[in-house]
Amino acid sequence: MECRAAPAGPNGAVPEPVAPRDMDPDQELVRGLRRREMGCLREVYERHGERVQRLCQRLLGRSADAEDAAQEVFLKLFERAGSFDGRARFSTWLHRLTVNLCLHRLERERLRRVRSLPGDVLPGDVLPGDVLPGDVGALVDPGETPPEALTRTEARVQLERLLARLSSEHRTVLVLRELEGLSYREIADTLAIPEGTVMSRLARAREQLVRLSSLRPRADARPAHRPLLDTP
């Protein structure tokens, strides 16, 4: 079923009402989602899918993980459309859903890896993006062939390493502000926190990023290039 269009006027033309400047442009799509119309879900995906995918990529770091997470976002969106109360713009609500899902995945992955750690490593010492001994391809996208992985720029690899070392909350605000270009208010609405908290987290995230960039990489944090080069 396609997303329903506005009814035609007496002369057959579809009226174009003048909407308030602050009216949510996704309002009609939200109504269709609440009616469980698959056509509206397709339109939402066409309108917001690329941005959701990009945000998942930046928070999770791997293309395969990002694609899987983006699909889950739109499934949950369809399931939870009825819970959208309209107090924020739909795009903000979708951003919040995406961020929360990615943070949940990061925490779930951190806990999984903690359970596999040797007994002398404390769970609190491990951040969601830490590269641990035995992590095969931790800094290499599994969807890429070895030549593609090896030809990525050093700047991109370094940025991935630095972002991976940040805590989830610091990484999130940094991605939303510096890479997604959201305002402080938009970030606050997305994360459901005060603007002052956004600014303080950003300040700490930037300080931590600068500090980490000045440190020498740990020996166990370097990707094992030799197996990649030896791959036929």
Side-chain angles (χ1 to χ4, degrees), residues 32-68:
L33 288 173
R34 287 171 174 163
R35 294 191 296 263
R36 314 289 290 179
E37 295 179 10
M38 290 301 296
C40 288
L41 180 61
R42 284 194 293 270
E43 288 191 37
V44 170
Y45 182 81
E46 291 172 2
R47 186 176 297 184
H48 299 284
E50 184 177 346
R51 193 174 187 185
V52 167
Q53 174 85 22
R54 185 178 65 236
L55 180 56
C56 290
Q57 173 75 42
R58 287 169 170 171
L59 290 175
L60 298 177
R62 298 183 181 183
S63 296
D65 293 342
E67 290 173 5
D68 186 52

Side-chain angles (χ1 to χ4, degrees), residues 173 184 187 193-206:
V173 293
Y184 294 132
I187 297 174
I193 58 177
E195 282 188 69
T197 303
V198 171
M199 289 186 281
S200 62
R201 285 186 186 179
L202 270 171
R204 289 196 294 270
R206 287 166 178 155

